Structures are given as structure tokens and as C-alpha cells.
Amino acid sequence: MLAIGLLLWTAWQNVETNLAVRKLALGFDFLRQEAGFGIPFTIIPYGETDTYLRVFLVGLTNTILASILGIILATILGFVIGIARLSPNWAVAKAALIYVETVRNLPLLLHVLIWYNVAIRSLPPARQALGLFDSIFLSNRGIFVPSLQIGLGWGPLAIVAGVSTLSVVAILRHARRRRDETGQGAAVALPIALTLAATSFVLAAWGGVGISWPALQGFSFSGGMALSPELAALVIALAIYNASFIAELVRGSIEAIGKGQREAAASLGLDRAKILKLVIIPQAMRVLVPPLTNQYLHLVKASSLATVIGYPDLVNVFVGTSLNQTGRAIEIMTMTMLVYLSLSLLITGLSNLYGHRIRIVER
């Protein structure tokens, strides 16, 4: 402890000396200064006359967006590949094995560059865009998909979404309680569908709801939601790369469940799909959650590789451009480190909460 304290004191003295030489002082007043540069992709409104604080928020939201999309896609793909690894079909199992061994043994940075320079940028221009069902379009300007337009403000929308979410959670909790008490599952599809239908009716009656479809106008598309080429390449690379590791975690978790569990379930007349869904996966999740959390943490931190393809994440616009313009290295690096630390702690906390809910309760 004494050595660490001496090291920190020495480092602080060095910082003070260097700041005095450059005639700088620590502080966050620069956040109120005008940034003066544009950002090509933003979720929240932003202009060149906005402050560095706005730049920080733009970078933060862009980082969170890429991380959430990457986690969702990587989880879905990882589960599919992991289950395919255990398929009794020889071709399916070997195809999944080839995917895992090929993808996970290449650097993530290479994945990002390949998907951006070779795949996304090689797509045709907007006028010759590849269309899927005449509603999704792929071009070198990005991926254009339909988007939901809701006329409500953020406050009323949060209230409606919160009530709907609580209703769905209550339905699922009731079904779980009934299964624990009686051993019989409750039908949840119809109540959830009715809840979602009621939510849609309220949204339509209160503030109006509609779908915006992308349509070609001039040299680009208008309407819908556009995923920039940089965001699309980053999300695809993160999802495919991390899915190869998640697939192995899923395979290992399933194989950790004793063979007797499968044999007992089969003796009850359950087919392979129901054995997997009702017996194996629920138990495997207890084994899977801790290593899966580590993979999510890696994905969030790896999203900072976005800067190599120009996606305006937090590292690109705040640690890069903002730091170069203001010279506030200590303040900017401290804020950036706190953001990644907070995101990681949030993911860890949610995973621990979920792990606590699915733990085995001894009577």
C-alpha cells in the first residue's frame, strides 16, 4: 500500500509539473465550449455549434447502440451455432465446427476491416441497391430498414411502454408460479399478444403510430431507418466474432448437464426439442451466465475498434477529435474510462441479478 501510494503521489506531482509548464489547469469547463466539427452519424440531435458535452453524449449513445446491437445478434447467433455443434446431423455439426474454428482464430480488427472494406463498401450504389422484400435495401451508403414512427413524446411513450412491460412480466411470473406449484405450464402467448395489441391501440389512439418505409429519392434513400456503413460493418463484425465464442460456451454448458437428465426426460416421452427447451437449457443457463457475462464485457470494450473505420463512437469523437482540439487529456480520458467502467459494472450487475433469479433454491 505504501508503494502504491508513493507511486500515485509521484505521478500526481509529474502531472502538476507538466500542466504548469503548458500553463493548463484541471477542470471541466471545456465541456461548455463550442465543438465546431460535425459528426456524420448521431442518434440524438447534434450540430457543429453544439458543445463538447454534446459530443460526449453523441459518442456515448453511439457506443451504447453498437454494443446493444452486437450483444443481441451475437447471443442469437451464438446459441444457434452452439446447439448446431451438438446436432446429431454430421454435416450440421461439422459446419458449425468450421465456423467456430475459422472465425475465432482471426483477429477482431481484421473482421472489422474485412466487413467494412470488402463487404459493405463493395455493395452497389443506392440506385442499384439490393432489395429484400421491397422493404430492406443494402447499398454502399448503408442498410435501410423500415422504422416505427410514434407521435407521442418521450414521457407518455415511457409510461405506455412501462405499463406494457410490467403487464408482460406479471403474465410470465404468474405462469412460472403456476408451473412451480402445479407442474403445469400456463398459456402465455394469447395474454401477451392481447397486451401488445392493447399497447398498439393506445399508441395509435393517443399519438398516432405508423411505419416509415425507405424509398429511393435521387441518389439515396429517404424514410425508414438508415444504418451507416460503418455501424453496419462494426455490428456485423462484433456479432460474428463474439458468436463463435458464445457458441462454445453454449456447447460446453449443455454438455455439463448430466446424461441422466436427458435419459430421464426421454423416458417421459419428451422429444429432443422439448428435452432441450424444458430440461437442458434451463439448467445450462446456470453454468453459462458467468462466462457469457465476460464475453459481453469484451464485446462492449471491443466496440472501441470502431475508430479504425470512422464510426463516431465515444473513443473516436471524444478521445480522438475532442482531445486533439482541447488538449484536456486527463479530463477526457477520465470521463471515457468511467463510461466503460460504468457500462461494464451495469452488465455485471444485471447478469448477477439474472443468475440470482435462476439459482437453485435449497429447501
Side-chain angles (χ1 to χ4, degrees):
M1 292 296 294
L2 181 62
I4 294 175
L6 180 62
L7 180 62
L8 292 176
W9 182 80
T10 304
W12 178 249
Q13 292 298 315
N14 186 44
V15 169
E16 284 190 326
T17 302
N18 287 319
L19 289 174
V21 170
R22 298 184 181 186
K23 298 180 179 179
L24 294 175
L26 290 176
F28 293 90
D29 54 330
F30 75 95
L31 293 174
R32 295 193 296 269
Q33 298 175 6
E34 181 178 311
F37 64 90
I39 299 178
F41 177 82
T42 65
I43 301 176
I44 60 177
Y46 172 80
E48 294 183 2
T49 57
D50 283 323
T51 63
Y52 286 108
L53 178 60
R54 195 71 174 180
V55 173
F56 170 76
L57 296 176
V58 169
L60 174 61
T61 51
N62 284 352
T63 294
I64 292 176
L65 174 64
S67 300
I68 291 177
L69 292 177
I71 287 175
I72 293 175
L73 295 178
T75 303
I76 296 174
L77 184 59
F79 265 82
V80 172
I81 300 297
I83 294 174
R85 286 273 283 117
L86 300 172
S87 172
N89 187 304
W90 183 86
V92 173
K94 292 303 178 185
L97 174 63
I98 293 173
Y99 170 87
V100 170
E101 295 302 334
T102 303
V103 171
R104 73 175 179 178
N105 288 309
L106 295 176
L108 176 56
L109 178 59
L110 193 58
H111 279 279
V112 174
L113 294 175
I114 289 175
W115 278 103
Y116 181 67
N117 294 309
V118 179
I120 301 295
R121 302 301 294 180
S122 299
L123 290 173
R127 286 179 177 274
Q128 290 81 39
L130 302 176
L132 299 176
F133 309 109
D134 203 26
S135 58
I136 301 174
F137 299 94
L138 310 177
S139 75
N140 58 8
R141 288 179 176 268
I143 301 175
F144 299 86
V145 298
S147 63
L148 192 64
Q149 288 190 328
I150 300 175
L152 289 178
W154 286 105
L157 179 61
I159 294 175
V160 174
V163 172
S164 178
T165 303
L166 291 176
S167 301
V168 172
V169 170
I171 293 171
L172 295 176
R173 287 175 63 89
H174 172 72
R176 181 179 180 181
R177 189 182 307 114
R178 178 178 175 180
R179 185 178 67 246
D180 293 341
E181 293 175 354
T182 66
Q184 297 180 347
V188 298
L190 181 60
I192 291 178
L194 291 176
T195 301
L196 296 179
T199 302
S200 302
F201 177 78
V202 171
L203 290 175
W206 194 353
V209 60
I211 298 178
S212 176
W213 299 90
L216 181 64
Q217 288 188 353
F219 294 98
S220 186
F221 286 88
S222 63
M225 182 175 68
L227 300 179
S228 68
E230 294 79 14
L231 174 61
L234 177 66
V235 170
I236 293 173
L238 289 174
I240 288 181
Y241 180 79
N242 287 280
S244 64
F245 291 91
I246 293 176
E248 285 300 276
L249 297 178
V250 171
R251 181 186 64 81
S253 301
I254 292 176
E255 290 188 333
I257 306 303
K259 186 179 179 181
Q261 297 285 329
R262 297 182 180 82
E263 295 175 346
S267 67
L268 295 176
L270 298 179
D271 57 26
R272 186 172 183 275
K274 288 187 177 179
I275 292 174
L276 196 63
K277 175 184 175 183
L278 301 177
V279 180
I280 303 302
I281 294 295
Q283 298 183 74
M285 289 301 296
R286 300 189 183 101
V287 182
L288 176 63
V289 169
L292 187 62
T293 303
N294 291 334
Q295 200 62 42
Y296 288 164
L297 297 180
H298 170 265
L299 189 150
V300 172
K301 290 178 285 188
S303 67
S304 61
L305 289 175
T307 191
V308 301
I309 56 175
Y311 175 68
D313 74 325
L314 184 62
V315 173
N316 188 332
V317 299
F318 200 55
V319 177
T321 308
S322 299
L323 193 153
N324 289 333
Q325 290 187 352
T326 63
R328 301 293 187 132
I330 296 176
E331 296 89 337
I332 288 177
M333 294 304 294
T334 301
M335 291 176 65
T336 305
M337 287 190 296
L338 288 177
V339 164
Y340 281 101
L341 179 62
S342 301
L343 292 177
S344 298
L345 292 177
L346 176 62
I347 293 174
T348 303
L350 292 175
S351 297
N352 290 340
L353 181 62
Y354 178 70
H356 179 74
R357 286 182 55 82
I358 64 174
R359 76 190 190 284
I360 297 176
V361 179
E362 298 183 357
R363 301 180 188 275

